[in-house]
Amino acid sequence: MPDQSMPCVVGNWKMNGVIESLVEIERIARGASGLAVDIRLALPATLVALAARLGDTLMIGAQDVHQQPGGAWTGGVSAGMLRDVGARFTLVGHSERRLPQGSDDDDRIAVKLAAARVAGLSVILCVGETADDRRAGRAEQVVEQQVRRALPDGADGRWLSIAYEPRWAIGSGALPSLAEIATMHSAIGATVELLAKRGAAPVPLLYGGSVDRSNAGDILSIDSVDGLLVGKASLAAQSFLPIVRAAADRSGRHAQASDLARAGSL
Ligand code: PGA
C-alpha cells in the first residue's frame, strides 16, 4: 500500500525513453533518495522491467494496461504481465488513451481499472475536462461522471489515487487557477466519498497538466492536492527533482504543523 502520509510525485514518461535513459532514472533516484515523497515513474512498457531492478527509491509503474488478462490480443500488454516484471502501479484513463485521441471509453476504463486491481497494481485514475467543457460550464459535471463510471465497485485509497488533469492543460503551458483546481478537487472528493464503502481509506488526489518547477510549490500549497502528475518535466532529473523537492518541502511543513498541533493539544 502506498504511504499516504507523504505527498506523491509521479512522472509520466509517455512514449519516451530507451535503454540509455536508465542513466537518467538512476540520476532521479539518487537525487530523490531520502526525501519524504512517494516518487513514481510511469514508464513505457519496454522499460518497466529494467527500471524496476534499479532499487526501490522510485516506484515503477505503467501508463496503461490491456483490459484482458491475456490471450489473442496482438500487441496488448496485460496488467499481470506488467506486475510480473516489477510494475507496482499503472495510470488508467489518461486523456491520451481516452476517446477521441485514444480508444478508451468510460466502460473500457472501468474494466482496465478492475483488471489492474486484480493483478495487484495500484491505480492512478486520470480524469479531466476539455476546454469546451470548461467554457460551457460543465467541467465538474464531466469529471464527476468520469470518476463515477470508472469506479462501479467503489473507491479506496489503499489501491487508488485520482489525478485531475484538464485536457487543455496537458503539454500546453496553460494552467487552471489554484481556485479552479481546489474546486474540482472538492467535487471529485465529494463523488469519491459517495462511492467509498465503509472502512475505505481516503483517496489521494493529484493534479497534472503543465506542472513544472515554477508552479509546483503553488499547486502543492492547495490543501486538497496530495501530489502531482508530471509529463514533460519528469523526463530529466534537472527538471523533475526541483518538483520532488517542492513536495518534500510541503511534507516538512505538514509534519511541523502536526507537531505544533500535537504540542498545542497536550
Ligand atoms: P505535461 O503532461 O506535464 O507534459 O503537461 C502531464 C500528463 O499528461 O500527465
Side-chain angles (χ1 to χ4, degrees):
M1 172 175 167
D3 184 342
Q4 293 207 336
S5 62
M6 298 195 286
C8 175
V9 177
V10 187
N12 173 13
W13 274 32
K14 309 194 179 188
M15 201 166 68
N16 295 292
V18 290
I19 287 189
E20 223 173 77
S21 319
L22 293 173
V23 176
E24 202 60 35
I25 295 173
E26 283 184 302
R27 207 171 280 145
I28 292 171
R30 265 199 312 278
S33 157
L35 296 178
V37 179
D38 171 5
I39 310 158
R40 309 184 189 190
L41 287 182
L43 294 175
T46 48
L47 287 184
V48 167
L50 294 165
R53 289 194 198 119
L54 294 178
D56 53 15
T57 303
L58 309 176
M59 190 193 288
I60 300 300
Q63 300 167 12
D64 190 29
V65 294
H66 196 276
Q67 62 274 24
Q68 295 293 335
W73 299 93
T74 302
V77 182
S78 73
M81 290 157 89
L82 289 158
R83 182 78 191 90
D84 182 49
V85 295
R88 291 172 56 201
F89 77 96
T90 185
L91 309 182
V92 172
H94 191 279
S95 65
E96 287 154 18
R97 306 296 319 169
R98 284 180 188 260
L99 291 166
Q101 194 171 343
S103 52
D104 289 355
D105 59 11
D106 285 331
D107 289 345
R108 189 181 290 174
I109 287 165
V111 178
K112 285 188 172 191
L113 203 142
R117 231 190 121 188
V118 166
L121 297 177
S122 66
V123 175
I124 300 174
L125 169 68
C126 303
V127 292
E129 81 285 2
T130 63
D132 279 350
D133 292 331
R134 184 154 283 278
R135 268 192 298 272
R138 55 171 184 256
E140 284 157 46
Q141 194 190 326
V142 166
V143 168
E144 282 167 13
Q145 194 172 65
Q146 288 172 347
V147 172
R148 263 200 317 274
R149 290 196 174 157
L151 295 163
D153 300 326
D156 191 328
R158 278 183 275 257
W159 54 268
L160 175 74
S161 315
I162 298 180
Y164 167 51
E165 295 206 300
R167 278 180 182 231
W168 50 272
I170 293 177
S172 65
L175 240 83
S177 68
L178 300 185
E180 282 168 336
I181 297 173
T183 304
M184 186 61 86
H185 269 195
S186 51
I188 296 173
T191 308
V192 165
E193 218 160 280
L194 290 176
L195 295 168
K197 301 220 169 72
R198 225 179 210 263
V203 174
L205 302 183
L206 318 185
Y207 169 79
S210 293
V211 173
D212 62 23
R213 65 191 301 167
S214 73
N215 56 36
D218 283 346
I219 300 170
L220 285 161
S221 73
I222 305 171
D223 262 351
S224 63
V225 173
D226 301 306
L228 301 168
L229 178 51
V230 185
K232 189 155 181 267
S234 71
L235 291 172
Q238 205 191 4
S239 46
F240 192 47
L241 288 173
I243 299 172
V244 174
R245 281 188 215 108
D249 284 352
R250 171 199 156 126
S251 172
R253 278 199 306 278
H254 274 210
Q256 256 172 8
S258 48
D259 283 353
L260 283 174
R262 255 198 307 279
S265 66
L266 287 177

